[in-house]
Amino acid sequence: MAKTEETKMDKIISLAKRKGFVFQGSEIYGGLAGTWDFGPYGVALRNNIKGLWWKKFVTDREDMYGVDAAILMNQEVWKSSGHVGGFSDPLVECKKCKHRFRADQLEDAKKCPDCEGQLGEARQFNMMFKTNIGAAEDATSISYLRPETAQGMFVNFKNVVDSFHPRLPFGLAQIGKAFRNEIAPRDFVFRSREFEQMEIEYFVDPRDPKKVQATFEELYGEQINFLKELGLSSDKIHKIEVPDADRAHYSKRSVDTEFDFPFGQKELLGIAYRTDFDLKAHTDSSKVDLSYFDEETKERFIPHCIEPTFGLDRLLLAVLSDAYTEDEIDGEKRVYLKFSPKVAPVKVAVFPLLKNKPQLVEKAREIYMMLRKEIPGVMFDDNGNIGKRYRRQDEIGTPFCITIDFDTVEKGSGVTVRERDGGKQERIEIDKLISYIKEKVS
Ligand code: ATP
């Protein structure tokens, strides 16, 4: 079992590189552990996931406000949030080979998994990347690459309240890079040192605890709905109620959503009830009042916060590994990505049946240009025979291929639209093509 699963992961990593989704960071210099670069299809896939997320959680809702805070923040932010003091993982080092591991991820706390040497004592290792701002390198110039996007929203809480006067409940949402100096980055983009988060800080009235719980459930439900919208298989999604002992110090309730990745069931995203921990901590430290005034009851209080958080890189890996399929079509083995059309980087590819027939190429380019104006992610391909072109598109998960043949040009009898999963072909009139494709991909 473990062996075939491993092989599947290897195949996914190799396809992701070969086809221009994900490359190792700084590859020509031997790489940089825990960093990944995204090629054209990787960027398109990420943008599609981010676009769907932003639409669902921000533009389609009246109660959400988008922000984009700076990655570098005043070091006081991280002192108040507890990250300087406590954002650490237990690190152990092998006395023999000097390899380092996260103590809480080892099966045997005494024996090195690489060389069976003896492991040293665990010590706490702070995961924030430290840097200095400006020319001076002293205690006042210290800053950190943010380890989460959340704090960028808490420090802008007052700005949004002052300019938009939202009534509770309302949320701030942000998509952006986060950095963690992970002791052992692993499992492709699952655990990296630079990654991207999509987070919401949803502020609620703490005076009605029942409503707070209902809001928690509602937001959790929306997280799961989002995974379904991405096309992820429901049976691979698992709800984990995080036990008291494992919860972050600021959280009163946490639910992790785990996913069956090829290397096992692991955390994909989470939701935490952060109470008033952050706004209170920032009020105390900054001396700026981050409370909320209820116009109706004339009461002032610090709102509580529920935080649904999503890791974009883990979502990308979930989508990629769930879509990876091997089957046989027309008596030939094939590998294809069964992406939902909504996330597929290329939605439709247009082919002239033959490359050396100018009338076919001209018509195909005309249809390609027509589709491009209306649909994002349209590709033109006239290289090799049709079978090869289908395979190439299948491998990058393109849901539809359109072929322009002699009947299209001579009889005006439409084009052939071939569907990826079953290979089914249909003849569609050119003037109906845009609406036919649009309906299926959006
Ligand atoms: P883990 O226990 O796996 O280290 P975490 O519980 O520390 O994760 P959170 O602090 O809850 O993670 O971060 C929110 C989300 O950010 C996670 O659900 C995950 O999707 C993503 N994330 C966290 N760390 C990484 C990482 N090193 N690489 C990629 N994504 C990450």
Side-chain angles (χ1 to χ4, degrees):
M1 163 88 176
K3 194 144 191 282
T4 47
E5 295 292 79
E6 238 174 57
T7 319
K8 181 177 175 190
M9 199 57 217
D10 289 343
K11 286 180 187 168
I12 292 167
I13 295 172
S14 143
L15 183 141
K17 178 183 155 80
R18 197 172 65 246
K19 288 292 166 187
F21 284 87
V22 187
F23 310 119
Q24 197 187 344
S26 314
E27 192 179 4
I28 62 166
Y29 286 101
L32 179 67
T35 65
W36 298 94
D37 295 345
F38 298 95
Y41 293 140
V43 176
L45 183 55
R46 288 166 82 79
N47 283 345
N48 291 343
I49 297 173
K50 286 196 263 188
L52 288 167
W53 189 89
W54 196 260
K55 181 172 180 322
K56 179 176 181 61
F57 290 105
V58 184
T59 34
D60 280 357
R61 294 181 64 127
E62 283 180 299
D63 56 349
M64 291 284 192
Y65 297 82
V67 296
D68 189 357
I71 288 173
L72 294 171
M73 302 177 86
N74 190 310
Q75 58 173 302
E76 297 303 325
V77 171
W78 304 109
K79 287 184 190 163
S80 314
S81 66
H83 284 81
V84 171
F87 192 60
S88 43
D89 275 341
L91 170 111
V92 281
E93 193 176 276
C94 171
K95 291 185 177 165
K96 198 162 139 203
C97 72
K98 305 286 173 213
H99 287 178
R100 292 171 157 197
F101 307 93
R102 241 176 84 170
D104 58 338
Q105 286 178 345
L106 290 173
E107 271 174 31
D108 183 341
K110 296 211 169 69
K111 200 160 63 181
C112 171
D114 288 351
C115 76
E116 303 206 336
Q118 199 194 347
L119 294 173
E121 284 296 305
R123 67 178 167 89
Q124 288 301 318
F125 171 77
N126 193 298
M127 290 202 289
M128 283 199 294
F129 283 100
K130 211 181 209 178
T131 188
N132 291 87
I133 303 285
E137 282 198 18
D138 58 27
T140 61
S141 69
I142 292 173
S143 186
Y144 303 91
L145 297 184
R146 67 179 177 206
E148 60 173 30
T149 60
Q151 299 304 323
M153 290 180 270
F154 294 122
V155 300
N156 279 295
F157 171 81
K158 186 169 165 17
N159 287 333
V160 174
V161 168
D162 289 350
S163 19
F164 293 88
H165 309 288
R167 308 238 339 240
L168 286 176
F170 68 91
L172 304 191
Q174 174 165 229
I175 299 180
K177 290 271 187 170
F179 305 81
R180 293 182 190 179
N181 199 0
E182 295 279 354
I183 295 167
R186 64 169 76 173
D187 296 326
F188 197 31
V189 296
F190 179 84
R191 187 175 301 287
S192 10
R193 291 188 168 128
E194 173 174 341
F195 54 98
E196 200 156 349
Q197 290 184 319
M198 307 193 289
E199 294 195 298
I200 295 165
E201 306 307 326
Y202 198 77
F203 298 101
V204 293
D205 186 336
R207 296 169 300 178
D208 187 349
K210 264 204 183 133
K211 188 136 179 266
V212 174
Q213 275 316 315
T215 307
F216 187 100
E217 293 300 337
E218 185 243 321
L219 290 170
Y220 168 75
E222 290 297 349
Q223 283 192 302
I224 302 303
N225 288 340
F226 180 67
L227 298 183
K228 291 187 183 150
E229 280 171 36
L230 295 183
L232 292 178
S233 312
S234 301
D235 58 342
K236 291 189 180 152
I237 299 169
H238 309 280
K239 178 180 183 181
I240 309 291
E241 195 70 57
V242 181
D244 291 0
D246 298 346
R247 265 200 320 261
H249 58 285
Y250 52 72
S251 176
K252 212 167 165 183
R253 183 182 173 201
S254 295
V255 175
D256 283 350
T257 296
E258 297 191 343
F259 187 76
D260 293 327
F261 289 98
F263 42 85
Q265 184 181 320
K266 295 272 162 71
E267 177 180 331
L268 174 60
L269 38 94
I271 180 166
Y273 176 21
R274 292 180 84 123
T275 67
D276 59 359
F277 177 84
D278 302 271
L279 290 182
K280 204 157 171 286
H282 289 306
T283 298
D284 291 347
S285 307
S286 67
K287 309 289 178 232
V288 174
D289 181 7
L290 300 181
S291 63
Y292 171 89
F293 184 68
D294 185 334
E295 298 285 352
E296 262 168 48
T297 64
K298 306 289 175 212
E299 283 176 278
R300 187 169 275 288
F301 56 88
I302 294 194
H304 278 204
C305 178
I306 299 169
E307 177 193 71
T309 173
F310 303 70
L312 178 60
D313 307 79
R314 290 186 187 180
L315 284 171
L316 176 129
L317 184 55
V319 166
L320 207 55
S321 62
D322 199 26
Y324 183 91
T325 315
E326 291 174 2
D327 72 352
E328 219 172 83
I329 192 165
D330 306 329
E332 240 188 85
K333 281 205 163 117
R334 75 163 170 169
V335 166
Y336 76 105
L337 294 174
K338 207 174 181 168
F339 285 143
S340 141
K342 280 188 190 173
V343 298
V346 178
K347 313 282 184 217
V348 46
V350 182
F351 313 148
L353 180 65
L354 297 167
K355 188 184 184 167
N356 56 2
K357 297 288 174 201
Q359 71 271 43
L360 296 186
V361 175
E362 206 178 294
K363 190 69 187 168
R365 284 208 64 88
E366 191 188 301
I367 290 173
Y368 162 68
M369 294 309 286
M370 172 187 91
L371 291 171
R372 269 187 78 124
K373 286 193 194 123
E374 299 285 331
I375 297 160
V378 184
M379 202 174 147
F380 182 86
D381 189 5
D382 60 3
N383 217 343
N385 67 41
I386 288 287
K388 282 209 178 102
R389 293 183 221 166
Y390 282 155
R391 293 301 164 273
R392 270 203 299 274
Q393 294 302 326
D394 289 348
E395 248 192 321
I396 60 166
T398 307
F400 300 101
C401 291
I402 294 175
T403 304
I404 283 76
D405 56 24
F406 290 105
D407 282 353
T408 316
V409 189
E410 287 161 11
K411 298 190 192 148
S413 68
V415 297
T416 303
V417 179
R418 180 256 194 190
E419 172 266 336
R420 177 195 62 205
D421 300 351
K424 199 176 88 194
Q425 305 200 359
E426 242 185 295
R427 205 74 191 170
I428 305 289
E429 296 299 320
I430 292 175
D431 58 1
K432 300 209 174 76
L433 203 50
I434 291 178
S435 57
Y436 177 88
I437 299 284
K438 260 194 176 170
E439 189 205 321
K440 294 187 184 264
V441 302
S442 45

